[in-house]
Amino acid sequence: MKEIRLAVATRNAGKIREIRKALEGLPLRLLTCEDFPDWPVPEEEGSTFEENALEKAESLARFSGLPSLADDSGLEVDALDGAPGVSSAYYAGRHGDDAGNVARLLTEMEGIPSEGRGARFVCVLALAGPRGERRLIRETCEGRIAEEPRGEGGFGYDPVFVPRGHSRTMAELTLEEKNALSHRGKALRRLRELLERGEPTWLFSDPS
Ligand code: IMP
């Protein structure tokens, strides 16, 4: 298999680390935003994770001329009609205010009994080619919202998310345990399996 250059459309160092780890050993050379410092990261204005992930991947593919990979993720809470959803990162106002986001979520969920606290994390990975090719992978992790935050690990809503079949929150799991069941862990494993099979074919026939 010849080495493929793949541009990763995120400035989030944590996501880049996870992606590198998940794709380790494949004949891929991952380029990051540091290789394309002038790339204008698009605003995430779509109403679905798919739209946002595609927007980022397609924008970098056009800019770099290389196949590109992006991820978009968030939390959907049944009792809140799927909120915070695509607004997960800025639910409390400021982008990436994890403590504020968790506090707002717990306020919105006040008084809702445990059987009404179902939720899921969603991760969508988008691969885009410079000639408009696209491939999407969606994975979820089902669970419920805890009454109060517990645990120091992870990030975002991990301290208040209890995966189905577990009693600990995501933030109380080790990183290996989280990756084994998380939305992003599952999506990255599917991406790896896809690439190992030589798919999508347009990625491997790319002349770049
Ligand atoms: P984005 O995909 O960078 O737009 O960020 C999505 C937001 O969803 C993050 O800021 C977190 O609030 C939340 N989120 C996504 N994945 C996870 C996770 O694995 N644990 C906790 N929160 C997450």
Side-chain angles (χ1 to χ4, degrees):
M1 210 190 279
K2 73 169 175 138
E3 187 179 78
I4 306 288
R5 288 190 300 163
L6 182 63
V8 182
T10 176
R11 294 199 190 280
N12 179 327
K15 282 187 186 175
I16 292 171
R17 225 178 6 253
E18 283 187 24
I19 292 170
R20 272 197 196 290
K21 176 96 189 123
L23 302 182
E24 218 169 33
L26 292 176
L28 284 178
R29 184 142 72 85
L30 296 185
L31 304 174
T32 68
C33 293
E34 282 177 22
D35 298 293
F36 306 102
D38 298 329
W39 174 54
V41 183
E43 297 293 328
E44 296 184 14
E45 290 171 338
S47 56
T48 64
F49 297 109
E50 278 78 1
E51 276 177 69
N52 286 339
L54 271 175
E55 169 70 17
K56 287 183 272 187
E58 288 180 337
S59 159
L60 185 56
R62 279 193 302 272
F63 186 87
S64 66
L66 294 174
S68 301
L69 172 70
D71 122 303
D72 199 50
S73 54
L75 178 71
E76 290 179 347
V77 179
D78 295 336
L80 304 177
D81 292 329
V86 289
S87 310
S88 292
Y90 47 90
Y91 195 37
R94 189 165 51 81
H95 197 280
D97 175 10
D98 286 350
N101 291 339
V102 165
R104 172 160 182 207
L105 177 62
L106 289 179
T107 303
E108 303 279 345
M109 296 294 287
E110 247 168 45
I112 299 179
S114 72
E115 64 273 17
R117 300 179 75 92
R120 74 203 48 76
F121 278 124
V122 180
C123 173
V124 171
L125 294 178
L127 273 173
R131 283 178 296 279
E133 306 94 331
R134 307 152 144 212
R135 182 75 175 235
L136 287 168
I137 295 174
R138 165 184 271 254
E139 281 291 345
T140 59
C141 175
E142 296 288 335
R144 65 186 163 78
I145 304 302
E147 305 280 343
E148 56 191 19
R150 293 196 313 266
E152 304 298 323
F155 70 99
Y157 299 92
D158 282 344
V160 288
F161 185 87
V162 181
R164 185 177 283 170
H166 289 254
S167 52
R168 287 178 292 166
T169 67
M170 271 302 205
E172 294 177 301
L173 303 180
T174 64
L175 186 59
E176 286 69 30
E177 287 172 324
K178 176 180 171 181
N179 286 343
L181 54 83
S182 84
H183 48 314
R184 196 171 306 97
K186 290 198 275 187
L188 285 169
R189 277 193 293 284
R190 270 184 59 200
L191 174 64
R192 185 183 177 99
E193 286 160 17
L194 195 73
L195 298 173
E196 282 174 341
R197 288 200 304 270
E199 290 178 45
T201 49
W202 52 261
L203 183 63
F204 295 91
S205 58
D206 195 285
S208 61

